[in-house]
Amino acid sequence: MLLLALDTATPAVTVALHDGSDVIASSSQVDARRHGELLLPAVDRVLAEAGLRLDAVTGIVVGIGPGPYTGLRVGLMTADTFGLALGVPVHGVCTLDGLAYAADIGEGPFVVATDARRKEVYWARYADSRKRLTDPAVDRPADIADQVAGVPAVGAGALLYPDTFPEAREPEHVSAASLASLAAERLERGEELPAPRPLYLRRPDAQVPKNYKVVTPK
């Protein structure tokens, strides 16, 4: 097994290689405006670090969000392209699950929350680092205060809103290393991973105008 994992659902552009036992190379850069520019060089970098070629990869793992439309689609389209070019499967993993997997919380429930912009967060509640209790959602922090009260929280969304998440802690962004490790565990157990389709949870900021101005002659 050699998994190439990547995620662009958060401001982090993150890539990793996993050989079925451990992460053998990884790269993460935080730049919310340069996903498309940074992703492919990061793939080249981790392959060079591992001393491997892209055609050695046996599977692709990609974070499916939730995340903002523009950034999220960069990773998903790249993963689909690699999968088609190499003839290997492409596995989706919820980005929030990757953050939960990397969280050093211990036993007991906790929340993962990432920045959804518009003064909202993408979030879900977890029983532990591997078991999600709720579907991913997008809400204003104040609207979910009762649901997340009294439990620790990780992620940039939690760190941004300390009034709602007073026990917020790192990691701030997801890492492809944690996505790859989680995916490898699930594949080893024979689990079926989600399709590589985006969890947008809301419409993109750019909208088609409702009323077009007619500029052609009748």
Side-chain angles (χ1 to χ4, degrees):
M1 179 188 293
L2 183 66
L3 299 176
L4 173 64
L6 50 94
D7 193 293
T8 57
T10 75
V13 179
T14 179
V15 179
L17 282 171
H18 196 290
D19 66 2
S21 298
D22 205 354
V23 174
I24 58 175
S26 63
S27 170
S28 292
Q29 297 170 271
V30 177
D31 192 328
R33 298 180 180 273
R34 299 174 66 208
H35 290 104
E37 180 180 346
L38 297 175
L39 182 57
L40 290 180
V43 172
D44 288 340
R45 193 159 51 248
V46 297
L47 287 168
E49 181 182 337
L52 296 168
R53 292 166 49 93
L54 182 60
D55 58 11
V57 169
T58 62
I60 310 294
V61 176
V62 62
I64 60 174
Y69 179 82
T70 302
L72 181 54
R73 66 179 178 174
V74 170
L76 286 163
M77 290 302 297
T78 302
D80 277 343
T81 301
F82 282 154
L84 286 171
L86 298 171
V88 300
V90 182
H91 308 288
V93 175
C94 174
T95 297
L96 300 180
D97 291 357
L99 263 166
Y101 185 83
D104 186 18
I105 299 294
E107 295 299 323
F110 66 97
V111 170
V112 174
T114 60
D115 183 16
R117 305 174 187 173
R118 303 186 194 174
K119 299 182 179 179
E120 294 178 330
V121 295
Y122 298 117
W123 71 284
R125 189 179 178 101
Y126 290 78
D128 54 42
S129 62
R130 291 171 174 81
K131 183 178 180 181
R132 177 159 37 89
L133 296 172
T134 63
D135 289 334
V138 58
D139 290 288
R140 289 183 175 271
D143 294 340
I144 60 171
D146 290 344
Q147 299 177 64
V148 302
V151 297
V154 300
L159 293 165
L160 273 172
Y161 301 100
D163 288 345
T164 299
F165 305 100
E167 296 186 59
R169 62 191 71 178
E170 295 185 341
E172 184 175 4
H173 303 301
V174 71
S175 73
S178 63
L179 282 178
S181 297
L182 178 58
E185 278 191 14
R186 290 175 172 175
L187 290 170
E188 183 67 23
R189 292 196 297 266
E191 294 183 23
E192 184 175 347
L193 299 184
R197 298 295 175 260
L199 290 172
Y200 290 131
L201 301 189
R202 67 184 184 202
R203 295 181 62 82
D205 291 331
Q207 300 289 332
V208 176
K210 294 182 179 179
N211 298 310
Y212 288 99
K213 182 179 179 180
V214 177
V215 295
T216 56
K218 294 182 180 180

